[in-house]
């Protein structure tokens, strides 16, 4: 379907393509531009998700509040979870996969540039499908986990769950296409000498993430197909009347869902493992242990799904096995945390903004990790499950973990991506606002949870002792939301100030710092040869001095893949195909036809045209 | 699938493996999980249907309606054999492509496509025949799981047929020279995978009682 990036086009293929304008962005196959598009759209969706959270917090700020109706509350908490996971953290990681993996392994692009562009557009289609639901007052409202048989037609008759099913299917296609692409890129596009155990840790953790994506997403796809079959075609997969078992949904969902949480955290692990050595002025402690603990986490990640289901009554043997396996995960995770501390230990710390966020990540992730271990104890979990204690736990790992690390990555890599330095002072102010706001918002949730406040419920009555901490949390969440405005303000101000970023502002260790900021379209004028881990440090050490600023060169004679609109057509085709499932039949007969067949067929034809014309288009 | 004219300018890959071949293998790895979930569900729900018809036993409804058992092994066994032979045919077609033996390529690729078409035709016949015997998609868990599993396999065979059919048209126009045999090899890899999945489905679904 896709042609390799390194394959050269026909000599008569149109070589000159315009480098500016909207069309050049729509048809781009440049991994850096695609990365930026991922980043911008993911940040917009992240802000949506944050806004949803703030509305939820306002509702919970006082007892018996009527700010949101129960139905709107359900829609908002479902969309908050779905958005943050699939449209926030995952594509923010994808931004760094796109921009940084080729640079860090010394490649000119990913292996299949057009497939890469397809992944982005498919992601955007899925994200829009999910969010368009708000315009019809039919946003998904059954939780991000979509437990059957709550999602069956008799309990969720509206379009809400249909939007959710179809949006997630589209996002799954995007993730799988991207995962194949990055998996092959990392295996096959490394610069000479970049052996597997010389790869930067971010590349390693991203690689493991791609494996998780490849193996986990097919399972949620199958679960969604079953749900769709039930809802649209009257199948019996989750219908207790027909002896269908709602537990099957939970098993399939969490066999996907637990690897998914490692999909959310492993790339941030990689980011932090890049930043700590650079700002501690010493190599990563225990490189090999870091690689293998990451791989071990991924393997265990497929064997612990039922710890999300202790309350379903699986029996003591299943509970004990899954509890034990879950405890095991503490070992490789602990290895990582000690190695990070070992990296900082004795280093000459450069307290720049990325370092603040990376250190904040370690502290917050430890708290989230510890409450995670508490959940592994089945009797304790039975008390904690469905309470705010769990909400506290996963916000400490997902926000305190993933988001802190992603911001560390943003402060670390944005000078490379955009060519200007971010304001250090505002960056540190943002860190403290975010750090304090985050802890005020989420730490009291531990108390509320242990006092029995249930999650997913739109309000609580007066007199249960929940008012005080909820009010504090709501205030904290406003501070947390404000810290992101400071982030945007920082970008705007720094861009206006225009302090040009040198190629290597942090005295970095990896190859992305060996080329100008922002990189030229072809990345490397000459493909580097790698002789050691931390190749750029090695190069600087062997020369005994800082390297000169790399010149911007013309890049003439370097073949680049041609821009293409076919990936967009294919993604739109799939989008139209799925839209046909949301529109309903245009004809009254037969009554069993629940989809808009003409739209589905048009979408199918568009997709087929997109794929075939793509296959025959010179790359 | 790339069909540009200036070809074979591959810079060496890190591992020496071809990028596209590695991508197909990666995709197949992912597909294994897809079919595992489908087959796993079929097994979990095996024997759980509350009403008939059933795969291997007769059933009389409370209202006295009689249903035959659904599966008829001879036809599907023949279809299975034909699909397995198609895997053999595509290997011969690939050998023809690699040797630049156009007759061998076109002949065996046509045989592959015909065999694949026969299999899909068998499945269409089988589905409509089972419907006539009273097994609808919504009838019971057996119906839902059986049609979903074998239907998705059939859809994969159909995609393979479109792919191989496209390559057949290209080879008729002489556009699969030996240096482009990889284009066929990629399709063949996918085709073998689809066959292997059927080798699991056939005993698990049809033979196991």
């Amino acid at each position: 379907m896709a042609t390799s990036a390194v394959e050269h086009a026909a000599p008569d293929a149109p070589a000159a393509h315009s480098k500016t304008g909207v069309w050049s962005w729509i048809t781009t196959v440049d991994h850096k531009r695609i990365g930026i598009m991922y980043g911008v759209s993911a940040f917009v969706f992240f802000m949506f998700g944050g806004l949803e959270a703030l509305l939820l917090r306002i509702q919970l700020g006082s007892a018996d509040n009527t700010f949101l109706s129960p139905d709107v509350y359900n829609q908002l908490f479902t969309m908050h979870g779905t958005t943050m996971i699939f449209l926030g953290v995952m594509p923010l990681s994808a931004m760094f996969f796109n921009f940084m993996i080729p640079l860090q392994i010394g490649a000119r692009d990913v292996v299949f540039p057009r497939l890469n562009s397809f992944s982005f557009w498919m992601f955007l289609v899925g994200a829009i499908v999910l969010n368009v639901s708000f315009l019809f007052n039919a946003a998904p409202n059954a939780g991000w986990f979509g437990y059957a048989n709550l999602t069956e037609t008799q309990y969720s008759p509206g379009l809400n769950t249909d939007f959710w099913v179809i949006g997630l299917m589209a996002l799954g296609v995007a993730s799988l296409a991207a995962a194949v692409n990055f998996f092959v890129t990392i295996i096959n596009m490394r610069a000479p000498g970049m052996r597997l155990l010389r790869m930067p840790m971010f590349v390693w953790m991203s690689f493991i993430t791609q494996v998780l994506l490849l193996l986990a997403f097919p399972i949620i796809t199958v679960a969604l197909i079953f749900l769709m079959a039930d809802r649209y075609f009257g199948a019996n997969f989750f219908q207790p009347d027909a002896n269908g078992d709602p537990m099957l949904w939970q098993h399939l969902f969490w066999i996907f869902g637990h690897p998914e949480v490692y999909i959310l955290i492993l790339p941030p692990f990689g980011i932090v493992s890049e930043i700590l050595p650079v700002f501690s002025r010493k190599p990563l402690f225990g490189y090999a242990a870091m690689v293998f603990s990451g791989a071990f986490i991924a393997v265990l990640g497929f064997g612990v799904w039922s710890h999300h289901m202790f309350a379903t009554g699986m029996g003591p043997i299943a509970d004990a096995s899954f509890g034990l396996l879950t405890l095991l995960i503490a070992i490789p995770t602990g290895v990582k945390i000690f190695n990070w501390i070992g990296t900082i230990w004795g280093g000459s710390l450069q307290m720049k903004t990325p370092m603040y966020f990376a250190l904040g990540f370690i502290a917050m992730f430890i708290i989230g990790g510890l409450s995670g271990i508490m959940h592994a104890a089945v009797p304790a979990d039975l008390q904690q499950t469905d309470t705010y204690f769990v909400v506290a736990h996963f916000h400490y790992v997902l926000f305190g973990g993933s988001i802190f690390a992603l911001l560390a990555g943003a402060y670390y890599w944005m000078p490379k991506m955009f060519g200007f330095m971010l304001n250090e002072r505002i960056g540190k102010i943002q860190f403290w606002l975010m750090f304090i706001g985050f802890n005020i918002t989420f730490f009291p949730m531990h108390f509320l949870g242990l006092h029995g406040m249930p999650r997913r419920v739109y309000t609580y009555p007066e007199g249960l002792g929940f008012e005080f901490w909820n009010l504090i949390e709501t205030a904290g969440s406003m501070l947390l939301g404000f810290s992101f405005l400071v982030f945007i303000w920082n970008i705007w101000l720094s861009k206006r100030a225009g302090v040009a970023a040198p190629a290597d502002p942090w005295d970095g260790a990896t190859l992305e710092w060996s080329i100008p900021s922002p990189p030229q379209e072809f990345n490397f004028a000459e493909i580097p040869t790698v002789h050691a881990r931390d190749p750029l440090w090695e190069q600087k050490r062997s020369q005994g001095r800082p390297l000169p600023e790399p010149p911007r060169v013309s890049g003439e004679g370097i073949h680049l893949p041609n821009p293409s609109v076919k990936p967009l057509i294919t993604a739109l085709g799939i989008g139209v195909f799925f839209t046909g499932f949301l529109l309903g039949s245009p004809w009254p007969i037969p009554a069993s036809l629940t989809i808009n067949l003409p739209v589905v067929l048009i979408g199918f034809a568009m997709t087929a045209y997109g794929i075939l014309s793509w296959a025959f288009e010179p790359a | 699938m790339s069909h540009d004219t200036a070809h074979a300018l591959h810079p060496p890959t890190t591992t020496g493996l071809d990028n596209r071949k590695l991508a197909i293998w990666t995709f197949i790895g992912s597909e294994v999980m897809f079919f595992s979930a489908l087959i796993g569900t079929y097994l979990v729900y095996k024997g759980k249907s509350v009403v008939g018809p059933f795969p291997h036993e007769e059933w009389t409804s409370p209202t006295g309606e009689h249903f035959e058992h659904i599966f008829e092994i001879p036809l599907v066994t023949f279809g299975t054999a034909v699909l397995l032979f198609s895997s053999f045919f595509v290997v011969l077609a690939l050998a023809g492509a690699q040797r630049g033996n156009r007759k061998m390529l076109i002949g065996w690729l046509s045989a592959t496509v015909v065999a694949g078409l026969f299999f899909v035709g068998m499945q269409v016949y089988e589905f409509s025949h089972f419907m006539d015997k009273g097994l609808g998609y919504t009838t019971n868990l057996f119906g839902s799981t059986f049609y979903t599993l074998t239907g998705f396999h059939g859809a994969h065979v159909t995609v393979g047929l479109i792919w191989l059919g496209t390559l057949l048209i290209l080879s008729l126009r002489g556009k699969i020279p030996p240096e482009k045999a990889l284009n066929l090899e990629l399709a063949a890899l996918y085709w073998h995978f689809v066959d292997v999945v059927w080798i699991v489905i056939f005993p698990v679904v049809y033979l196991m009682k």
Side-chain angles (χ1 to χ4, degrees), chain B residues 29-47:
Chain B
S30 187
E31 287 269 88
V32 166
M33 295 303 278
F34 181 82
F35 279 105
S36 300
L38 287 171
I39 294 169
T41 301
Y42 184 86
L43 284 172
V44 166
Y45 279 162
K46 196 172 163 59

Side-chain angles (χ1 to χ4, degrees), chain A residues 1-4 6-11 111-112 176 179-180 183-184 187-191 194 214-215 218-219 221-222 225-226 229 233-238 241-246 248 252 302 612 614-616 618-619, chain B residues 1-20 22-24 26-27 29-31 33-35 37-38 41 44-45 47-50 137-141 144-145 148 152 162-163 166 170:
Chain A
M1 190 161 38
T3 303
S4 130
V6 293
E7 203 171 280
H8 290 231
V111 66
F112 305 118
L176 281 173
V180 170
F183 183 86
V184 178
I187 290 186
N188 253 3
M189 300 286 281
R190 283 169 285 140
M194 177 68 82
L214 286 166
L215 299 181
I219 296 170
T221 306
V222 167
I225 287 169
F226 291 164
F233 309 118
N236 310 306
F237 288 103
F238 308 118
D241 290 351
N243 214 6
D245 190 352
L248 175 70
L252 290 174
F302 276 98
L612 279 173
W614 173 348
F616 289 97
Chain B
M1 281 189 290
S2 137
H3 303 281
D4 45 48
T5 43
H7 201 75
L9 277 167
H10 293 276
T13 62
T14 312
T15 56
L17 298 168
D18 181 81
N19 288 329
R20 292 188 293 159
L22 186 58
I24 290 287
T26 311
F27 175 67
S30 187
E31 287 269 88
M33 295 303 278
F34 181 82
F35 279 105
L38 287 171
T41 301
V44 166
Y45 279 162
K48 294 275 172 66
S49 298
V50 282
Y137 188 56
T138 60
T139 309
N140 55 15
L141 283 178
S144 296
T145 51
T148 306
F152 268 98
I162 295 170
W163 193 351
T166 312
L170 288 173

Side-chain angles (χ1 to χ4, degrees), chain A residues 108-416:
Chain A
R108 291 222 164 101
D109 206 321
V110 296
V111 66
F112 305 118
R114 288 179 297 176
L115 188 64
N116 199 22
S117 145
F118 168 76
S119 300
F120 169 72
W121 294 114
M122 200 66 241
F123 153 72
L124 201 59
V125 164
I128 289 170
V129 167
L130 271 174
N131 279 288
V132 154
S133 60
F134 278 116
L135 300 181
F136 300 89
N137 194 23
N141 57 358
W144 90 274
F145 38 80
Y147 282 157
N149 50 351
L150 177 63
T151 46
E152 295 281 280
T153 315
Q154 65 263 44
Y155 302 116
S156 297
L159 276 173
N160 312 56
T161 300
D162 297 329
F163 274 114
W164 184 77
V165 169
I166 282 159
L168 286 201
M169 278 187 171
L171 292 170
V173 174
S175 287
L176 281 173
V180 170
N181 210 345
F182 286 109
F183 183 86
V184 178
T185 298
I186 294 172
I187 290 186
N188 253 3
M189 300 286 281
R190 283 169 285 140
M194 177 68 82
R195 297 201 300 245
L196 284 176
L197 285 179
R198 284 179 185 166
M199 294 198 307
M201 196 52 60
F202 175 66
V203 176
W204 254 114
M205 292 304 116
S206 304
F207 181 69
I208 294 168
T209 305
Q210 308 312 318
V211 177
L212 288 175
L213 284 165
L214 286 166
L215 299 181
F217 264 77
I219 296 170
I220 181 88
T221 306
V222 167
L224 291 168
I225 287 169
F226 291 164
L227 183 56
M228 198 177 198
D230 278 10
R231 290 180 62 84
Y232 281 92
F233 309 118
N236 310 306
F237 288 103
F238 308 118
Q239 290 286 0
D241 290 351
N243 214 6
D245 190 352
M247 284 283 283
L248 175 70
W249 170 271
Q250 292 204 25
H251 280 292
L252 290 174
F253 184 83
W254 288 116
I255 294 176
F256 149 79
H258 201 79
E260 170 69 18
V261 305
Y262 296 139
I263 289 166
L264 300 172
I265 198 66
L266 284 176
F269 279 1
I271 293 170
V272 167
S273 304
E274 293 296 312
I275 290 171
L276 292 175
V278 167
F279 294 94
S280 304
R281 317 303 316 141
K282 61 196 270 269
L284 186 67
F285 185 85
Y287 175 94
M290 286 300 239
V291 171
F292 292 113
S293 59
F296 191 43
I297 289 173
V299 172
L300 284 177
F302 276 98
V304 297
W305 75 88
S306 286
H307 70 210
H308 298 270
M309 303 163 57
F310 284 148
T312 59
M314 295 178 296
I317 294 179
D319 284 359
S321 321
F322 283 105
L324 277 172
L325 278 165
T326 305
L327 287 173
L328 270 185
I329 293 190
I331 297 173
T333 315
V335 166
K336 284 196 171 293
I337 288 170
F338 283 115
N339 280 348
W340 288 323
I341 295 171
T343 305
I344 309 164
W345 187 263
S348 57
L349 304 191
Q350 317 282 305
M351 293 307 289
K352 297 281 170 62
T353 312
M355 190 64 168
Y356 274 61
F357 280 96
L359 293 175
F361 158 88
I362 298 180
M364 296 301 98
F365 185 77
I366 288 176
I367 297 176
L370 288 176
S371 56
I373 297 171
M374 292 159 85
H375 295 311
V378 182
D381 183 74
L382 290 176
Q383 296 302 312
Q384 294 153 359
T385 198
D386 269 339
T387 72
Y388 266 84
F389 194 85
V390 178
V391 181
H393 158 69
F394 65 68
H395 281 94
Y396 267 87
V397 285
L398 276 182
F399 200 120
S402 301
I403 296 293
F404 270 73
L406 287 166
L407 273 163
Y411 276 100
Y412 180 58
W413 276 318
M414 271 170 72
K416 175 58 60 188

